C-alpha cells in the first residue's frame, strides 16, 4: 500500500485563499491471484498444468483400483481348501471367478493346472501373478516420469525466463527499466515454483501408490504359499 501527498488549495470565507495544504492519498496496491501469477509463467505453465491433471487422475484412479483389488474374503483359502479336498474343482473355480481379485485369478490359474506336476502349477501361478502385478502398476511409470520431468521443465522455464530478461536488458540500452525485466523474471521464478510443486506432488503420489501395490502383492504371495502348501498336504500324509 502506497501513500501519496496531494497538493490542494483551500478557500477561506470571504473569497480569500489560504496556503496550499498537503492531503495524504492512500493508493491500494494491485493484488495478483493465483491464475494471473500462473499466466505470467508462459507456455511452460500450460504443460505443467497438463502434467498435474494427469498425475491427479492416475492417483485417484489407481487408489480406487488397488484398494478394490486388495479387498478379499478372509475365509477365501479355507473355502478353496474345502472345495479341493472334497473334489469339487468346479465350485472352486467358480468361487475364484466370483471373487474377481488378483489373488483369486492366480489361484484359479493354479486350480486349472491341477493334476500336472507341482512345478507346472507353481509356474502357472507365478506367470498369472506377474500379469496381475503389471495391471496394478498401470500408470505408475507415467507418474514417475512426471515426478522427475516436472522440476526439469520448471528449470527450463527458469533459464528461458532469465534469457528473456537479459535480452530485453541488452535491447533497452541506457533506458533500463525494471518493468522491462519483470516479464522474464516472473517467468523464471513462477515456472520453477510450478515445476517443483507438480514434481513433489507426483513423487509422493508415486510412493504412496507403490506402497499400496506392495500391500496387494504381499497378499498375493501369501495366497500362493497357502495354495502350494495345500497341494503338498496329501503328499505329507
Amino acid at each position: 500500500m502506497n501513500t501519496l501527498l496531494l497538493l490542494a488549495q483551500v478557500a477561506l470565507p470571504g473569497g480569500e485563499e489560504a496556503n496550499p495544504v498537503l492531503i495524504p492519498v492512500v493508493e491500494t496496491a494491485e493484488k495478483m491471484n493465483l491464475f494471473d501469477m500462473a499466466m505470467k509463467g508462459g507456455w511452460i505453465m500450460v504443460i505443467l498444468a497438463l502434467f498435474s491433471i494427469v498425475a491427479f487422475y492416475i492417483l485417484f484412479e489407481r487408489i480406487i483400483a488397488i484398494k478394490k483389488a486388495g479387498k478379499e474374503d478372509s475365509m477365501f483359502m479355507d473355502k478353496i481348501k474345502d472345495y479341493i479336498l472334497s473334489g469339487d474343482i468346479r465350485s472352486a473355480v467358480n468361487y475364484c471367478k466370483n471373487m474377481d481379485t488378483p489373488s483369486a485369478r492366480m489361484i484359479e490359474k493354479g486350480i486349472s493346472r491341477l493334476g500336472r506336476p507341482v512345478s507346472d502349477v507353481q509356474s502357472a501361478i507365478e506367470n498369472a501373478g506377474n500379469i496381475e502385478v503389471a495391471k496394478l502398476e498401470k500408470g505408475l511409470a507415467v507418474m514417475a516420469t512426471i515426478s522427475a520431468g516436472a522440476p526439469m521443465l520448471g528449470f527450463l522455464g527458469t533459464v528461458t525466463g532469465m534469457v528473456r530478461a537479459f535480452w530485453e536488458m541488452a535491447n533497452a540500452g541506457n533506458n533500463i527499466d525494471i518493468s522491462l525485466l519483470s516479464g522474464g523474471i516472473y517467468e523464471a521464478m513462477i515456472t520453477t515454483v510450478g515445476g517443483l510443486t507438480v514434481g513433489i506432488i507426483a513423487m509422493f503420489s508415486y510412493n504412496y501408490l507403490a506402497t499400496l501395490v506392495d500391500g496387494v502383492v504381499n497378499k498375493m504371495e501369501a495366497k500362493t504359499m497357502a495354495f502350494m502348501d495345500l497341494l503338498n498336504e496329501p503328499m505329507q500324509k
Side-chain angles (χ1 to χ4, degrees):
M1 182 178 295
N2 299 324
T3 302
L4 300 179
L5 296 179
L6 179 63
L7 185 64
Q9 189 78 24
V10 180
L12 297 177
E16 299 180 359
E17 293 184 352
N19 294 329
V21 179
L22 293 176
I23 302 175
V25 178
V26 177
E27 192 178 76
T28 305
E30 181 183 357
K31 294 183 180 180
M32 181 186 299
N33 57 39
L34 186 61
F35 179 78
D36 292 337
M37 184 174 65
M39 288 298 98
K40 291 183 179 294
W43 61 271
I44 289 181
M45 293 301 293
V46 177
I47 300 178
L48 291 175
L50 294 176
F51 279 3
S52 64
I53 293 173
V54 173
F56 278 115
Y57 172 78
I58 294 175
L59 173 63
F60 293 119
E61 188 272 336
R62 285 293 88 194
I63 287 176
I64 295 173
I66 295 171
K67 288 191 173 182
K68 180 181 178 181
K71 290 183 178 180
E72 293 181 350
D73 185 359
S74 59
M75 302 298 293
F76 175 77
M77 287 308 303
D78 293 332
K79 293 180 180 179
I80 292 295
K81 180 178 180 179
D82 292 339
Y83 286 135
I84 292 178
L85 294 181
S86 63
D88 193 356
I89 304 301
R90 182 180 298 273
S91 296
V93 172
N94 291 334
Y95 178 60
C96 290
K97 290 181 178 179
N98 292 333
M99 290 298 297
D100 192 27
T101 61
S103 296
R105 287 189 285 271
M106 286 175 54
I107 301 304
E108 179 188 352
K109 184 64 68 174
I111 294 173
S112 67
R113 297 294 191 274
L114 288 178
R116 299 185 181 183
V118 175
S119 59
D120 291 349
V121 176
Q122 185 173 2
S123 177
I125 293 177
E126 290 177 352
N127 291 335
N130 292 333
I131 294 174
E132 295 299 330
V133 172
K135 291 179 181 178
L136 292 173
E137 293 178 344
K138 178 184 177 182
L140 265 65
V142 176
M143 184 74 79
T145 302
I146 292 175
S147 68
M152 299 300 294
L153 194 62
F155 293 148
L156 174 62
T158 302
V159 175
T160 58
M162 295 308 297
V163 169
R164 175 184 169 190
F166 283 114
W167 174 265
E168 293 176 348
M169 182 188 301
N171 290 336
N174 296 327
N175 300 321
I176 298 177
D177 188 355
I178 189 62
S179 61
L180 295 175
L181 309 178
S182 60
I185 296 175
Y186 267 127
E187 180 180 339
M189 297 298 100
I190 292 173
T191 53
T192 301
V193 173
L196 290 175
T197 301
V198 175
I200 290 171
I201 293 174
M203 179 187 66
F204 281 106
S205 299
Y206 173 83
N207 290 332
Y208 176 65
L209 293 176
T211 301
L212 294 181
V213 171
D214 287 341
V216 177
V217 170
N218 290 335
K219 292 181 180 179
M220 294 166 60
E221 291 176 349
K223 296 293 189 302
T224 300
M225 293 178 62
F227 183 75
M228 297 308 299
D229 290 341
L230 173 61
L231 297 184
N232 291 326
E233 277 187 6
M235 300 174 59
Q236 296 173 353
K237 293 183 179 179

